[in-house]
Amino acid sequence: MTTATSAATTTTEFSSSLYDRIVEGGGMYTGVDGDREWAAEVKRLAKLRDATILAHNYELPAIQDVADFVGDSLALSRIAADVTTSTIVFCGVHFMAETAKILSPEKTVLIPDQRAGCSLADSIKAVELQEWKDEHPGAVVVSYVNTTAEVKALTDICCTSSNAVEVVQSIPEDTEILFLPDQFLGAHVKRVTGRQNMHIWAGECHVHAGINGDELAAQAEAHPDADLYVHPECGCATSALYLAGAGAVPDERVKILSTGGMLDAARETGKKEVLVATEVGMLHQLRMAAPGVDFRAVNDRASCKYMKMITPAALLRCLVEGKDEVFVDADMADAGRKAVTRMIGIGQPGGGE
């Protein structure tokens, strides 16, 4: 392991005694604990940089707790556009920071570790989308916000997990739709809308795809009074609906929800126990939203290694060094911004994931 960078490369203004503890190895920054001393340093450095810290719901609890705002990627990107600070520090994966830059081109956008990618966003490349479009001339491209800037630039309308049905319903019924990249969200939308001329890309989030129907069924049987909160990206979403349809679980207990929808449901639930099928970082926000409810992960191994690359050490390094800055080509950003704006213009802007 080696020191992240020499302290001599930083300015006196942004130096920190904790900075010298940072080590880089194994593909991530470590060596600093997310304790009170660290949190105070992060707040001090953020003020010096005129920065707003945003954290996704799937981040480590310490990162969520120190952030100015916590939420899903689209909600955070819209906050980034509204805040008055000149710098945005986006604690999430790379496509999220890109979306913030698309909506806030005049601001400096930093991500604590630019290596934090996304298996879902990486499941379709711009060249693949262009080839798909060429095969279906006249089709409307609907892209989940969990996509790269290059893909958004080739998109007609973006969507989120909470408004994907509404977006698809806004498109004339005789118009073909190319829906990407998540096959499970696409299947959910197709099932709800009954849309037959909707083609779905075979992409997936490796974490959500790994939460399977057998696990869900076993957990539901073991906790017969619990509600089920299931993210539509999950491989078990269809199984959840099957359990309800077969009478194994009452319909009212099965809720297919975005992360924002989960939080809304948590605040209103009268249940004592809830099973949650999504990335485990979400449990932190759910438990704060409803402290009296026992939230349990359907799969407690459903942790995104990319989200967890945003460590306390990575955030501290980002604020000391002013790295890693995210750039999006201006023309690409303009095209992607139109796709997001069209979605917002349809109606309910929804939550990001």
Side-chain angles (χ1 to χ4, degrees):
M1 291 192 173
T2 58
T3 303
T5 189
S6 168
T9 65
T10 65
T11 65
T12 302
E13 184 181 27
F14 291 106
S15 63
S16 169
S17 59
L18 294 178
Y19 177 77
D20 293 333
R21 302 180 192 174
I22 299 174
V23 293
E24 197 283 328
M28 64 196 312
Y29 296 101
T30 58
V32 176
D33 295 326
D35 55 18
R36 290 184 179 181
E37 181 185 9
W38 164 83
E41 262 308 78
V42 165
K43 290 291 188 182
R44 181 184 72 84
L45 291 165
K47 186 175 181 179
L48 282 176
R49 285 217 176 268
D50 188 35
T52 296
I53 300 174
L54 309 178
H56 190 269
N57 290 317
Y58 296 162
E59 289 297 324
L60 293 165
I63 300 294
Q64 294 187 38
D65 290 344
V66 82
D68 297 300
F69 299 94
V70 180
D72 56 55
S73 68
L74 180 59
L76 292 175
S77 292
R78 296 178 75 189
I79 289 169
D82 289 339
V83 296
T84 58
T85 54
S86 61
T87 299
I88 300 298
V89 177
F90 207 121
C91 298
V93 294
H94 198 270
F95 82 81
M96 297 179 182
E98 281 187 334
T99 305
K101 184 66 176 179
I102 286 171
L103 295 181
S104 310
E106 76 288 354
K107 293 179 180 175
T108 298
V109 176
L110 305 176
I111 182 169
D113 193 331
Q114 64 182 348
R115 297 169 296 183
C118 172
S119 59
L120 179 56
D122 288 345
S123 68
I124 185 166
K125 295 177 171 55
V127 64
E128 294 172 316
L129 174 54
Q130 186 59 61
E131 290 172 353
W132 202 26
K133 290 177 67 171
D134 292 342
E135 293 170 4
H136 299 274
V140 172
V141 177
V142 177
S143 291
Y144 193 18
V145 291
N146 296 34
T147 46
T148 64
E150 290 89 347
V151 167
K152 285 186 176 72
L154 293 172
T155 294
D156 295 303
I157 310 174
C158 281
C159 73
T160 70
S161 58
S162 60
N163 70 14
V165 168
E166 187 178 12
V167 167
V168 167
Q169 288 175 332
S170 75
I171 300 167
E173 291 186 5
D174 60 351
T175 302
E176 276 191 301
I177 295 174
L178 304 182
F179 188 96
L180 62 104
D182 190 82
Q183 61 183 310
F184 299 113
L185 177 59
H188 170 66
V189 173
K190 189 170 185 176
R191 182 169 53 241
V192 172
T193 63
R195 193 68 173 249
Q196 296 304 308
N197 57 350
M198 178 175 162
H199 309 284
I200 302 170
W201 190 260
E204 64 182 29
C205 161
H206 72 286
V207 175
H208 284 103
I211 304 174
N212 64 57
D214 289 342
E215 288 174 322
L216 182 70
Q219 291 276 22
E221 184 178 358
H223 304 276
D225 296 323
D227 273 355
L228 309 181
Y229 291 2
V230 182
H231 195 283
E233 280 183 41
C234 285
C236 65
T238 300
S239 297
L241 294 173
Y242 173 79
L243 289 172
V249 177
D251 283 353
E252 65 273 13
R253 283 179 52 201
V254 177
K255 305 176 190 301
I256 309 297
L257 300 166
S258 66
T259 54
M262 288 182 183
L263 285 170
D264 291 340
R267 295 185 185 103
E268 298 173 2
T269 187
K271 291 287 185 177
K272 294 182 178 180
E273 191 174 32
V274 175
L275 301 173
V276 182
T278 191
E279 209 274 353
V280 293
M282 189 66 204
L283 295 173
H284 185 60
Q285 286 298 310
L286 288 170
R287 288 164 178 163
M288 289 197 295
V293 180
D294 182 10
F295 292 98
R296 295 171 178 254
V298 169
N299 180 339
D300 59 12
R301 302 176 306 284
S303 177
C304 176
K305 65 179 182 180
Y306 300 113
M307 287 286 186
K308 272 50 178 181
M309 289 175 69
I310 309 303
T311 60
L315 178 54
L316 183 69
R317 164 193 170 269
C318 172
L319 290 166
V320 170
E321 299 183 25
K323 296 181 178 178
D324 293 323
E325 187 167 357
V326 175
F327 299 95
V328 178
D329 173 80
D331 291 339
M332 186 180 296
D334 286 344
R337 195 177 307 114
K338 289 175 183 175
V340 175
T341 302
R342 288 189 192 108
M343 174 193 70
I344 293 171
I346 287 170
Q348 200 277 109
E353 307 82 46

